[in-house]
């Protein structure tokens, strides 16, 4: 795994079991300036293997925009607020984007 630059902009993905959890996590991340924006998507069906059995669940995906500098704190906040024993938390570095948008993400996630 390559190291993330503190200034890199990341797209972090997680899925939650319901809309209330999605709203709680999204609002908490924005209020704490750990994310610039959280998109709460429509429900989807996830199919996975858990504890030796194939299972499925309806989940709400979240698309979270943050920076490498805020990732560790963001991950800790998601783990604290997430009801799953093992939540999916994955970060994808953004290779390109509208420069002004990327600058906005960086500005909105600055600790105050």
């Amino acid at each position: 795994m390559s190291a993330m630059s503190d200034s890199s902009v990341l797209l972090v993905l997680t899925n939650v079991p319901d809309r209330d959890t999605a709203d709680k996590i999204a609002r908490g991340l924005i209020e704490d300036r750990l994310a610039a924006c959280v998109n709460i998507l429509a429900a989807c069906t996830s199919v996975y293997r858990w504890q030796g059995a194939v299972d499925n669940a309806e989940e709400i995906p979240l698309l979270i925009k943050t920076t490498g500098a805020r990732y560790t704190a963001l991950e800790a906040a998601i783990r604290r607020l997430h009801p799953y024993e093992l939540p999916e938390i994955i970060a994808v570095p953004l290779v390109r984007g509208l420069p002004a948008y990327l600058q906005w993400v960086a500005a909105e996630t600055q600790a105050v």
Side-chain angles (χ1 to χ4, degrees), residues 75-90:
E75 180 183 285
I78 293 173
R79 290 182 59 125
R80 185 177 66 254
L81 297 168
H82 207 294
Y84 291 173
E85 178 183 343
L86 180 63
E88 170 189 12
I89 304 172
I90 56 176

Side-chain angles (χ1 to χ4, degrees), residues 7 49-50 52 61 64 80 83 98 100-101 108:
S7 64
R49 184 179 308 277
W50 180 246
I64 304 160
R80 185 177 66 254
L98 181 67
Y101 180 81
E108 288 302 312

Side-chain angles (χ1 to χ4, degrees), residues 15 27-28 36 47-48 59 62 66 72 87 104 111:
N15 291 308
R27 184 162 294 280
V47 180
Y48 52 91
E59 295 183 302
L62 301 181
T66 192
T72 300
W104 174 79

Side-chain angles (χ1 to χ4, degrees), residues 2 4 19 23 38-39 48 51 61 63 67 70 87 89 94 104 107:
S2 62
M4 287 183 273
R19 182 63 190 227
D23 290 339
V38 178
N39 301 114
Y48 52 91
Q51 298 179 341
L63 305 179
T67 60
R70 300 301 275 159
I89 304 172
L94 299 183
W104 174 79

